Amino acid sequence: MYDVAIIGAGITGCAIAYELGKYNVKAVIVEKENDVSVGTTKANSAIIHGGYDPKPGTKMAEYNIKGNVYTKELCEKLDVPYKQIGGLSRRAFSMHDQ
């Protein structure tokens, strides 16, 4: 018997399993495919969202920042190459938006 069943072995399911591994929890991942990261995660472009989009003070803005920090820390722990290079964001606007 398991304490937790995780449905899907994509990036989210595997991250949950990783975190649960820090505790005395018996967990199982159930995946319909023949390997991990076969679904949406397979098409991941490896771009970490910069967090510029959400309205300041919202949970989305808070989680963008926390997720960015967590990703870097996790990559270091798992010895996964991580290079923060920054990026440019172009936004179209009209004269009425100014």
Side-chain angles (χ1 to χ4, degrees):
M1 179 174 290
Y2 296 97
D3 299 312
V4 177
I6 302 163
I7 310 301
I11 190 71
T12 303
C14 290
I16 291 168
Y18 175 79
E19 287 299 318
L20 287 175
K22 298 175 182 177
Y23 305 95
N24 187 20
V25 175
K26 192 169 181 185
V28 63
I29 298 180
V30 180
E31 172 57 54
K32 70 177 181 174
E33 302 297 340
N34 64 351
D35 203 353
V36 299
S37 301
V38 174
T40 304
T41 300
K42 184 178 183 178
N44 184 331
S45 63
I47 296 173
I48 308 302
H49 195 285
Y52 59 83
D53 237 2
K55 183 178 177 182
T58 63
K59 287 290 184 191
M60 179 67 84
E62 177 186 346
Y63 292 143
N64 271 176
I65 293 167
K66 286 182 178 182
N68 229 298
V69 171
Y70 176 78
T71 301
K72 184 176 181 181
E73 290 173 355
L74 184 59
C75 286
E76 287 172 1
K77 286 179 186 175
L78 299 177
D79 197 28
V80 171
Y82 176 90
K83 186 174 184 181
Q84 191 168 350
I85 58 172
L88 297 173
S89 174
R90 296 180 70 190
R91 295 185 182 205
F93 61 91
S94 71
M95 295 306 285
H96 301 288
D97 291 334
Q98 295 184 4

Coordinates of all heavy atoms in Angstrom, one line a residue:
M1 N 0.8 -1.2 0.0 CA 0.0 0.0 0.0 C 0.9 1.2 0.0 O 2.0 1.3 0.6 CB -0.9 0.0 1.2 CG -1.8 1.3 1.2 SD -3.0 1.3 2.5 CE -4.2 0.1 2.0
Y2 N 0.4 2.3 -0.7 CA 1.2 3.5 -0.8 C 0.4 4.7 -0.1 O -0.8 4.7 0.1 CB 1.3 3.9 -2.3 CG 2.1 2.9 -3.0 CD1 1.6 1.9 -3.8 CD2 3.5 3.0 -3.0 CE1 2.3 1.0 -4.5 CE2 4.3 2.1 -3.7 CZ 3.7 1.1 -4.4 OH 4.5 0.2 -5.1
D3 N 1.2 5.6 0.4 CA 0.6 6.8 1.0 C 0.2 7.8 0.0 O -0.8 8.5 0.2 CB 1.7 7.5 1.9 CG 2.2 6.6 3.0 OD1 1.3 6.0 3.7 OD2 3.4 6.5 3.2
V4 N 0.9 7.8 -1.2 CA 0.6 8.8 -2.2 C 0.8 8.1 -3.6 O 1.7 7.4 -3.8 CB 1.6 10.0 -2.2 CG1 1.4 11.0 -3.3 CG2 1.6 10.7 -0.8
A5 N -0.2 8.4 -4.5 CA -0.1 8.0 -5.9 C 0.1 9.2 -6.7 O -0.8 10.1 -6.7 CB -1.3 7.2 -6.3
I6 N 1.1 9.3 -7.5 CA 1.3 10.4 -8.4 C 1.0 10.0 -9.8 O 1.5 9.0 -10.3 CB 2.8 10.9 -8.4 CG1 3.2 11.2 -6.9 CG2 3.1 12.0 -9.3 CD1 4.7 11.3 -6.7
I7 N 0.1 10.7 -10.5 CA -0.4 10.3 -11.8 C 0.4 11.1 -12.8 O 0.3 12.4 -12.9 CB -1.9 10.6 -12.0 CG1 -2.7 10.0 -10.9 CG2 -2.3 10.2 -13.4 CD1 -2.6 8.5 -10.7
G8 N 1.3 10.5 -13.6 CA 2.0 11.1 -14.6 C 3.5 11.3 -14.2 O 3.8 11.8 -13.1
A9 N 4.4 10.9 -15.1 CA 5.8 11.0 -14.8 C 6.5 12.1 -15.7 O 7.5 11.9 -16.3 CB 6.5 9.7 -15.0
G10 N 5.8 13.2 -15.9 CA 6.4 14.3 -16.5 C 7.2 15.2 -15.5 O 7.5 14.7 -14.4
I11 N 7.5 16.4 -15.9 CA 8.3 17.2 -15.0 C 7.6 17.5 -13.7 O 8.2 17.4 -12.6 CB 8.7 18.5 -15.7 CG1 9.7 19.3 -14.9 CG2 7.5 19.4 -15.9 CD1 11.1 18.7 -14.9
T12 N 6.3 17.7 -13.7 CA 5.6 17.9 -12.4 C 5.5 16.7 -11.5 O 5.8 16.7 -10.3 CB 4.2 18.5 -12.7 OG1 4.3 19.7 -13.5 CG2 3.5 18.8 -11.4
G13 N 5.1 15.6 -12.1 CA 5.0 14.3 -11.3 C 6.4 13.9 -10.8 O 6.5 13.5 -9.6
C14 N 7.4 14.0 -11.6 CA 8.8 13.6 -11.1 C 9.3 14.6 -10.0 O 9.9 14.2 -9.1 CB 9.7 13.6 -12.3 SG 9.4 12.2 -13.4
A15 N 8.9 15.9 -10.2 CA 9.3 16.9 -9.1 C 8.6 16.6 -7.8 O 9.2 16.7 -6.7 CB 9.0 18.3 -9.6
I16 N 7.4 16.2 -7.9 CA 6.6 15.9 -6.7 C 7.2 14.6 -6.0 O 7.5 14.6 -4.8 CB 5.1 15.6 -7.0 CG1 4.4 16.9 -7.4 CG2 4.4 15.0 -5.8 CD1 3.1 16.8 -8.0
A17 N 7.6 13.6 -6.8 CA 8.2 12.4 -6.3 C 9.5 12.7 -5.7 O 9.9 12.2 -4.6 CB 8.4 11.4 -7.4
Y18 N 10.3 13.6 -6.3 CA 11.6 14.0 -5.7 C 11.4 14.7 -4.4 O 12.1 14.4 -3.4 CB 12.3 15.0 -6.7 CG 13.6 15.6 -6.2 CD1 14.7 14.9 -6.2 CD2 13.6 16.9 -5.6 CE1 15.9 15.4 -5.7 CE2 14.8 17.4 -5.1 CZ 15.9 16.7 -5.2 OH 17.1 17.2 -4.7
E19 N 10.5 15.6 -4.3 CA 10.2 16.3 -3.0 C 9.7 15.3 -1.9 O 10.1 15.4 -0.8 CB 9.2 17.4 -3.2 CG 9.8 18.6 -3.9 CD 10.9 19.3 -3.2 OE1 10.9 19.4 -1.9 OE2 11.9 19.6 -3.8
L20 N 8.8 14.4 -2.3 CA 8.3 13.4 -1.3 C 9.4 12.5 -0.9 O 9.3 11.9 0.2 CB 7.2 12.6 -2.0 CG 5.9 13.3 -2.1 CD1 4.8 12.5 -2.9 CD2 5.3 13.8 -0.8
G21 N 10.5 12.3 -1.7 CA 11.6 11.4 -1.3 C 12.3 12.0 -0.1 O 13.1 11.2 0.5
K22 N 12.1 13.2 0.3 CA 12.7 13.8 1.5 C 12.0 13.4 2.8 O 12.5 13.7 3.9 CB 12.7 15.3 1.3 CG 13.5 15.8 0.1 CD 13.4 17.3 0.0 CE 14.1 17.8 -1.2 NZ 13.9 19.3 -1.4
Y23 N 10.9 12.7 2.6 CA 10.1 12.4 3.8 C 9.9 10.9 3.9 O 10.1 10.2 2.9 CB 8.7 13.1 3.7 CG 8.9 14.6 3.6 CD1 8.8 15.2 2.4 CD2 9.1 15.4 4.7 CE1 9.0 16.6 2.2 CE2 9.2 16.8 4.6 CZ 9.2 17.3 3.3 OH 9.3 18.7 3.2
N24 N 9.4 10.4 5.0 CA 9.1 9.0 5.2 C 7.7 8.7 4.6 O 6.8 8.5 5.3 CB 9.2 8.6 6.7 CG 9.0 7.2 6.9 OD1 9.3 6.4 6.0 ND2 8.6 6.8 8.1
V25 N 7.6 8.8 3.3 CA 6.4 8.6 2.5 C 6.6 7.5 1.5 O 7.6 7.5 0.8 CB 5.9 9.9 1.8 CG1 4.7 9.7 1.0 CG2 5.7 11.0 2.9
K26 N 5.7 6.6 1.4 CA 5.7 5.5 0.4 C 4.9 6.0 -0.8 O 3.7 6.2 -0.7 CB 5.2 4.2 0.9 CG 5.5 3.0 0.0 CD 5.2 1.7 0.7 CE 5.5 0.6 -0.2 NZ 5.1 -0.7 0.4
A27 N 5.6 6.3 -1.9 CA 4.9 6.9 -3.1 C 5.1 6.1 -4.3 O 6.1 5.4 -4.4 CB 5.4 8.3 -3.3
V28 N 4.2 6.2 -5.2 CA 4.3 5.5 -6.5 C 3.9 6.5 -7.6 O 3.1 7.3 -7.4 CB 3.4 4.2 -6.6 CG1 1.9 4.6 -6.4 CG2 3.6 3.4 -7.8
I29 N 4.6 6.4 -8.8 CA 4.2 7.1 -9.9 C 3.6 6.2 -10.9 O 4.1 5.1 -11.2 CB 5.5 7.8 -10.6 CG1 6.1 8.8 -9.6 CG2 5.0 8.5 -11.9 CD1 7.3 9.5 -10.2
V30 N 2.4 6.6 -11.4 CA 1.7 5.8 -12.5 C 1.8 6.6 -13.8 O 1.4 7.8 -13.8 CB 0.3 5.6 -12.1 CG1 -0.5 4.8 -13.1 CG2 0.2 4.9 -10.7
E31 N 2.4 6.0 -14.8 CA 2.6 6.6 -16.1 C 2.0 5.7 -17.2 O 2.4 4.6 -17.2 CB 4.1 7.0 -16.3 CG 4.4 7.5 -17.7 CD 3.7 8.7 -18.1 OE1 3.7 9.7 -17.3 OE2 3.1 8.7 -19.2
K32 N 1.3 6.3 -18.1 CA 0.7 5.5 -19.2 C 1.7 5.2 -20.3 O 1.5 4.2 -21.0 CB -0.6 6.2 -19.7 CG -0.3 7.4 -20.5 CD -1.5 8.0 -21.1 CE -1.2 9.3 -21.9 NZ -2.3 9.8 -22.6
E33 N 2.7 6.0 -20.4 CA 3.7 5.8 -21.5 C 4.8 4.8 -21.0 O 4.8 4.4 -19.9 CB 4.3 7.1 -21.9 CG 3.3 8.2 -22.4 CD 2.5 7.7 -23.7 OE1 3.0 6.8 -24.4 OE2 1.5 8.3 -23.9
N34 N 5.7 4.5 -21.9 CA 6.7 3.6 -21.6 C 8.0 4.2 -21.0 O 9.0 3.5 -20.7 CB 7.1 2.7 -22.8 CG 7.7 3.6 -23.9 OD1 7.7 4.8 -23.9 ND2 8.3 2.9 -24.9
D35 N 8.0 5.5 -20.8 CA 9.1 6.2 -20.2 C 8.7 7.5 -19.5 O 7.5 7.9 -19.8 CB 10.2 6.5 -21.3 CG 11.6 6.6 -20.7 OD1 11.7 6.7 -19.5 OD2 12.5 6.7 -21.5
V36 N 9.5 8.1 -18.8 CA 9.2 9.4 -18.2 C 9.3 10.5 -19.2 O 10.1 10.3 -20.2 CB 10.1 9.7 -17.0 CG1 10.0 8.7 -15.9 CG2 11.6 9.9 -17.4
S37 N 8.6 11.6 -19.0 CA 8.7 12.8 -19.9 C 8.4 12.5 -21.4 O 9.1 13.1 -22.2 CB 10.1 13.4 -19.7 OG 10.3 13.8 -18.4
V38 N 7.4 11.7 -21.6 CA 7.1 11.4 -23.0 C 6.0 12.3 -23.6 O 5.9 12.6 -24.7 CB 6.6 9.9 -23.2 CG1 6.1 9.6 -24.5 CG2 7.8 9.0 -22.8
G39 N 5.2 12.9 -22.7 CA 4.1 13.8 -23.1 C 4.6 15.2 -23.3 O 5.5 15.5 -24.0
T40 N 3.9 16.1 -22.7 CA 4.1 17.6 -22.8 C 5.6 17.9 -22.5 O 6.2 18.7 -23.1 CB 3.2 18.4 -22.0 OG1 1.8 18.0 -22.3 CG2 3.3 19.9 -22.2
T41 N 6.1 17.3 -21.4 CA 7.5 17.6 -21.0 C 8.5 17.4 -22.0 O 9.5 18.0 -22.1 CB 7.8 16.8 -19.7 OG1 6.8 17.2 -18.7 CG2 9.2 17.1 -19.2
K42 N 8.2 16.4 -22.9 CA 9.2 16.1 -24.0 C 9.4 17.3 -24.9 O 10.5 17.4 -25.4 CB 8.6 14.9 -24.8 CG 9.6 14.4 -25.9 CD 9.0 13.2 -26.6 CE 10.0 12.7 -27.6 NZ 9.4 11.5 -28.3
A43 N 8.4 18.1 -25.1 CA 8.5 19.3 -25.9 C 9.0 20.5 -25.2 O 9.0 21.6 -25.8 CB 7.1 19.6 -26.6
N44 N 9.5 20.3 -24.0 CA 10.0 21.4 -23.2 C 11.2 22.1 -23.9 O 12.1 21.4 -24.3 CB 10.4 20.9 -21.8 CG 10.9 22.0 -20.9 OD1 11.4 23.1 -21.3 ND2 10.7 21.8 -19.6
S45 N 11.2 23.4 -24.0 CA 12.2 24.1 -24.7 C 13.4 24.5 -23.8 O 14.3 25.1 -24.2 CB 11.7 25.4 -25.4 OG 11.2 26.2 -24.4
A46 N 13.2 24.1 -22.5 CA 14.2 24.4 -21.4 C 14.3 25.9 -21.1 O 15.3 26.4 -20.5 CB 15.6 23.9 -21.8
I47 N 13.3 26.7 -21.5 CA 13.3 28.1 -21.1 C 12.6 28.3 -19.8 O 11.5 27.8 -19.6 CB 12.6 28.9 -22.2 CG1 13.4 28.9 -23.5 CG2 12.5 30.4 -21.8 CD1 12.7 29.5 -24.7
I48 N 13.3 28.9 -18.9 CA 12.7 29.2 -17.6 C 12.0 30.6 -17.6 O 12.7 31.5 -18.0 CB 13.8 29.2 -16.4 CG1 14.6 27.9 -16.5 CG2 13.1 29.4 -15.1 CD1 13.8 26.6 -16.3
H49 N 10.8 30.6 -17.3 CA 10.0 31.9 -17.4 C 10.7 33.0 -16.5 O 11.0 32.7 -15.4 CB 8.6 31.7 -17.0 CG 7.7 32.8 -17.4 ND1 7.7 34.0 -16.8 CD2 6.8 32.9 -18.4 CE1 6.8 34.8 -17.3 NE2 6.2 34.1 -18.3
G50 N 10.9 34.1 -17.1 CA 11.5 35.2 -16.4 C 10.7 35.9 -15.4 O 11.2 36.6 -14.5
G51 N 9.3 35.7 -15.4 CA 8.5 36.3 -14.4 C 8.1 37.7 -14.6 O 7.6 38.4 -13.7
Y52 N 8.2 38.2 -15.8 CA 7.9 39.6 -16.1 C 6.4 39.8 -16.4 O 6.0 40.9 -16.3 CB 8.7 40.1 -17.3 CG 8.5 39.3 -18.5 CD1 7.4 39.6 -19.4 CD2 9.3 38.3 -18.9 CE1 7.1 38.8 -20.5 CE2 9.1 37.5 -20.0 CZ 8.0 37.8 -20.8 OH 7.7 37.0 -21.9
D53 N 5.7 38.8 -16.6 CA 4.3 38.9 -17.1 C 3.3 39.1 -16.0 O 2.4 40.0 -16.2 CB 3.9 37.7 -17.9 CG 3.5 38.0 -19.3 OD1 3.5 39.2 -19.6 OD2 3.1 37.0 -20.0
P54 N 3.3 38.4 -14.9 CA 2.2 38.5 -13.9 C 2.1 39.8 -13.3 O 3.1 40.5 -13.1 CB 2.5 37.4 -12.9 CG 3.7 36.7 -13.4 CD 4.3 37.4 -14.5
K55 N 0.9 40.2 -12.8 CA 0.7 41.4 -12.1 C 1.4 41.3 -10.8 O 1.3 40.3 -10.0 CB -0.8 41.6 -11.9 CG -1.2 42.8 -11.2 CD -2.7 42.9 -11.0 CE -3.1 44.2 -10.3 NZ -4.6 44.3 -10.1
P56 N 2.2 42.4 -10.4 CA 3.0 42.4 -9.2 C 2.1 42.1 -8.0 O 0.9 42.7 -7.9 CB 3.6 43.7 -9.1 CG 3.7 44.2 -10.6 CD 2.5 43.6 -11.2
G57 N 2.5 41.4 -7.0 CA 1.8 41.1 -5.8 C 0.8 39.9 -5.9 O 0.2 39.5 -4.9
T58 N 0.7 39.3 -7.1 CA -0.2 38.1 -7.2 C 0.6 36.9 -6.9 O 1.8 36.8 -6.8 CB -0.7 38.0 -8.6 OG1 0.4 37.8 -9.5 CG2 -1.5 39.3 -9.0
K59 N -0.2 35.8 -6.6 CA 0.4 34.5 -6.4 C 1.3 34.1 -7.6 O 2.3 33.5 -7.4 CB -0.6 33.4 -6.1 CG -1.2 33.6 -4.7 CD -0.2 33.3 -3.7 CE -0.8 33.3 -2.3 NZ 0.2 33.2 -1.2
M60 N 0.8 34.3 -8.8 CA 1.5 34.0 -10.0 C 2.9 34.6 -10.0 O 3.9 34.0 -10.3 CB 0.7 34.4 -11.3 CG 1.5 34.0 -12.5 SD 1.6 32.3 -12.8 CE 0.1 31.9 -13.6
A61 N 3.0 35.9 -9.7 CA 4.2 36.6 -9.6 C 5.2 36.0 -8.6 O 6.4 35.8 -8.8 CB 4.0 38.1 -9.3
E62 N 4.6 35.7 -7.4 CA 5.4 35.1 -6.3 C 5.9 33.7 -6.7 O 7.1 33.4 -6.5 CB 4.4 34.9 -5.1 CG 5.1 34.2 -3.9 CD 4.1 33.9 -2.8 OE1 3.0 34.5 -2.8 OE2 4.5 33.1 -1.9
Y63 N 5.1 32.9 -7.4 CA 5.5 31.5 -7.8 C 6.5 31.5 -8.9 O 7.3 30.6 -9.1 CB 4.3 30.7 -8.1 CG 3.4 30.4 -6.9 CD1 2.1 30.3 -6.9 CD2 4.0 30.2 -5.6 CE1 1.3 30.0 -5.8 CE2 3.3 29.9 -4.5 CZ 1.9 29.8 -4.6 OH 1.2 29.6 -3.5
N64 N 6.4 32.5 -9.8 CA 7.4 32.7 -10.9 C 8.8 32.8 -10.3 O 9.7 32.2 -10.7 CB 7.1 33.9 -11.8 CG 6.1 33.6 -12.9 OD1 5.8 34.5 -13.7 ND2 5.8 32.3 -13.1
I65 N 8.9 33.7 -9.3 CA 10.2 33.9 -8.7 C 10.7 32.7 -7.9 O 11.8 32.2 -8.1 CB 10.1 35.1 -7.7 CG1 9.9 36.4 -8.6 CG2 11.4 35.3 -6.9 CD1 9.5 37.6 -7.8
K66 N 9.8 32.1 -7.1 CA 10.1 30.9 -6.4 C 10.5 29.7 -7.3 O 11.5 29.0 -7.1 CB 9.0 30.4 -5.5 CG 8.8 31.3 -4.3 CD 7.7 30.8 -3.4 CE 7.6 31.7 -2.1 NZ 6.5 31.2 -1.2
G67 N 9.8 29.6 -8.4 CA 10.1 28.5 -9.4 C 11.4 28.7 -10.0 O 12.1 27.7 -10.3
N68 N 11.7 29.9 -10.3 CA 13.0 30.3 -10.9 C 14.2 29.9 -10.0 O 15.1 29.2 -10.4 CB 13.1 31.8 -11.2 CG 13.5 32.1 -12.6 OD1 14.6 31.7 -13.0 ND2 12.7 32.7 -13.4
V69 N 14.1 30.2 -8.7 CA 15.1 29.9 -7.8 C 15.2 28.4 -7.6 O 16.2 27.8 -7.5 CB 14.8 30.6 -6.4 CG1 15.7 30.1 -5.3 CG2 14.9 32.1 -6.6
Y70 N 14.0 27.7 -7.4 CA 13.9 26.3 -7.2 C 14.6 25.5 -8.4 O 15.3 24.6 -8.2 CB 12.5 25.8 -7.0 CG 12.3 24.3 -6.9 CD1 12.6 23.7 -5.7 CD2 11.9 23.6 -8.0 CE1 12.4 22.3 -5.6 CE2 11.7 22.2 -7.9 CZ 12.0 21.6 -6.7 OH 11.9 20.2 -6.5
T71 N 14.3 26.0 -9.6 CA 14.9 25.3 -10.8 C 16.4 25.3 -10.8 O 17.0 24.3 -11.0 CB 14.4 25.9 -12.1 OG1 12.9 25.9 -12.1 CG2 14.9 25.3 -13.3
K72 N 17.0 26.4 -10.5 CA 18.4 26.5 -10.4 C 19.0 25.6 -9.3 O 20.0 24.9 -9.5 CB 18.9 28.0 -10.1 CG 20.3 28.2 -10.2 CD 20.7 29.7 -10.0 CE 22.2 29.9 -10.1 NZ 22.6 31.2 -9.9
E73 N 18.4 25.7 -8.1 CA 18.8 24.8 -7.0 C 18.7 23.3 -7.3 O 19.6 22.6 -7.0 CB 18.0 25.1 -5.7 CG 18.3 26.5 -5.2 CD 17.4 26.9 -4.0 OE1 16.4 26.1 -3.7 OE2 17.6 27.9 -3.4
L74 N 17.6 23.0 -8.0 CA 17.4 21.5 -8.3 C 18.4 21.1 -9.3 O 19.0 20.0 -9.2 CB 16.0 21.3 -8.8 CG 15.6 19.9 -9.1 CD1 15.7 19.0 -7.9 CD2 14.2 19.9 -9.7
C75 N 18.7 21.9 -10.3 CA 19.7 21.6 -11.3 C 21.1 21.4 -10.7 O 21.8 20.4 -11.0 CB 19.8 22.6 -12.4 SG 18.4 22.6 -13.5
E76 N 21.4 22.2 -9.7 CA 22.7 22.1 -9.0 C 22.8 20.7 -8.2 O 23.7 20.0 -8.3 CB 22.9 23.2 -8.1 CG 23.3 24.5 -8.8 CD 23.3 25.7 -7.9 OE1 23.1 25.6 -6.7 OE2 23.6 26.8 -8.4
K77 N 21.7 20.4 -7.5 CA 21.6 19.2 -6.7 C 21.7 17.9 -7.6 O 22.3 17.0 -7.2 CB 20.3 19.1 -5.9 CG 20.2 20.1 -4.8 CD 18.9 19.9 -4.1 CE 18.7 21.0 -3.0 NZ 17.4 20.9 -2.4
L78 N 21.1 18.0 -8.8 CA 21.0 16.8 -9.6 C 22.2 16.8 -10.7 O 22.2 15.9 -11.6 CB 19.7 16.7 -10.3 CG 18.5 16.6 -9.4 CD1 17.2 16.6 -10.2 CD2 18.6 15.3 -8.5
D79 N 23.0 17.8 -10.6 CA 24.2 17.9 -11.5 C 23.7 18.0 -13.0 O 24.2 17.3 -13.9 CB 25.1 16.7 -11.4 CG 26.5 17.0 -12.0 OD1 26.9 18.2 -12.1 OD2 27.2 16.1 -12.4
V80 N 22.6 18.8 -13.2 CA 22.1 19.1 -14.5 C 22.6 20.4 -15.0 O 22.5 21.4 -14.2 CB 20.5 19.1 -14.5 CG1 20.0 19.6 -15.8 CG2 20.0 17.7 -14.1
P81 N 23.2 20.5 -16.2 CA 23.7 21.8 -16.6 C 22.6 22.9 -16.6 O 21.5 22.6 -17.0 CB 24.1 21.5 -18.1 CG 24.3 20.0 -18.1 CD 23.4 19.5 -17.2
Y82 N 23.0 24.0 -16.1 CA 22.0 25.2 -16.1 C 22.8 26.4 -16.4 O 23.8 26.7 -15.7 CB 21.4 25.2 -14.7 CG 20.5 26.4 -14.4 CD1 19.1 26.3 -14.7 CD2 21.0 27.6 -14.0 CE1 18.3 27.4 -14.5 CE2 20.1 28.7 -13.8 CZ 18.8 28.6 -14.0 OH 17.9 29.6 -13.8
K83 N 22.3 27.2 -17.3 CA 23.0 28.4 -17.7 C 22.0 29.5 -17.8 O 21.1 29.5 -18.6 CB 23.7 28.2 -19.0 CG 24.6 29.4 -19.4 CD 25.4 29.1 -20.7 CE 26.3 30.2 -21.0 NZ 27.0 29.9 -22.3
Q84 N 22.1 30.5 -16.9 CA 21.2 31.6 -16.9 C 21.7 32.7 -17.8 O 22.7 33.4 -17.5 CB 21.0 32.2 -15.5 CG 19.8 33.1 -15.4 CD 19.5 33.4 -13.9 OE1 20.0 32.8 -13.0 NE2 18.7 34.4 -13.7
I85 N 21.1 32.9 -19.0 CA 21.6 33.8 -20.0 C 20.8 35.0 -20.2 O 21.2 35.9 -20.9 CB 21.8 33.1 -21.3 CG1 20.5 32.5 -21.8 CG2 22.9 32.0 -21.2 CD1 20.6 32.0 -23.2
G86 N 19.6 35.1 -19.6 CA 18.7 36.2 -19.7 C 18.0 36.1 -21.1 O 18.1 35.1 -21.8
G87 N 17.3 37.1 -21.4 CA 16.5 37.1 -22.6 C 15.9 38.5 -22.9 O 15.9 39.4 -22.0
L88 N 15.4 38.6 -24.1 CA 14.7 39.9 -24.5 C 13.3 39.6 -24.7 O 12.9 38.5 -25.2 CB 15.3 40.4 -25.8 CG 16.8 40.8 -25.7 CD1 17.2 41.2 -27.2 CD2 16.9 42.0 -24.8
S89 N 12.4 40.5 -24.3 CA 11.0 40.4 -24.5 C 10.5 41.6 -25.3 O 10.8 42.7 -24.9 CB 10.3 40.3 -23.2 OG 8.9 40.3 -23.4
R90 N 9.9 41.4 -26.4 CA 9.4 42.5 -27.2 C 7.9 42.5 -27.0 O 7.2 41.5 -27.1 CB 9.7 42.3 -28.7 CG 11.3 42.3 -28.9 CD 11.6 42.1 -30.4 NE 11.2 43.3 -31.1 CZ 11.1 43.3 -32.4 NH1 11.5 42.3 -33.1 NH2 10.7 44.4 -33.0
R91 N 7.4 43.7 -26.9 CA 6.0 43.9 -26.7 C 5.5 44.9 -27.7 O 6.1 46.0 -27.8 CB 5.7 44.3 -25.3 CG 6.0 43.3 -24.2 CD 5.5 43.8 -22.9 NE 5.9 42.8 -21.9 CZ 5.3 42.6 -20.8 NH1 4.3 43.4 -20.5 NH2 5.7 41.7 -19.9
A92 N 4.4 44.6 -28.3 CA 3.8 45.6 -29.2 C 2.8 46.4 -28.4 O 2.2 45.9 -27.5 CB 3.1 44.8 -30.4
F93 N 2.7 47.7 -28.8 CA 1.8 48.5 -28.1 C 1.3 49.6 -29.1 O 2.0 49.9 -30.1 CB 2.3 49.2 -26.8 CG 3.5 50.0 -27.0 CD1 3.4 51.4 -27.3 CD2 4.8 49.5 -27.0 CE1 4.5 52.2 -27.5 CE2 5.9 50.3 -27.2 CZ 5.8 51.6 -27.4
S94 N 0.2 50.2 -28.8 CA -0.2 51.3 -29.7 C 0.0 52.6 -28.9 O 0.4 52.6 -27.7 CB -1.7 51.2 -30.0 OG -2.5 51.5 -28.8
M95 N -0.1 53.7 -29.6 CA 0.1 55.0 -29.0 C -0.9 55.2 -27.8 O -0.7 56.0 -26.9 CB 0.0 56.1 -30.0 CG 1.1 56.0 -31.1 SD 2.7 56.0 -30.4 CE 2.9 57.7 -29.9
H96 N -2.1 54.5 -27.8 CA -3.1 54.7 -26.8 C -2.7 54.0 -25.5 O -3.2 54.3 -24.5 CB -4.4 54.1 -27.3 CG -4.9 54.8 -28.5 ND1 -5.4 56.1 -28.5 CD2 -5.0 54.4 -29.8 CE1 -5.8 56.4 -29.7 NE2 -5.5 55.4 -30.6
D97 N -1.7 53.1 -25.6 CA -1.3 52.3 -24.4 C -0.3 53.1 -23.5 O 0.0 52.7 -22.4 CB -0.6 51.0 -24.8 CG -1.6 50.0 -25.4 OD1 -2.7 50.1 -25.1 OD2 -1.1 49.2 -26.2
Q98 N 0.2 54.2 -24.0 CA 1.2 55.0 -23.3 C 0.7 55.9 -22.2 O -0.3 56.4 -22.2 CB 2.1 55.8 -24.3 CG 2.9 54.8 -25.2 CD 3.8 55.6 -26.1 OE1 3.9 56.8 -26.0 NE2 4.4 54.9 -27.0

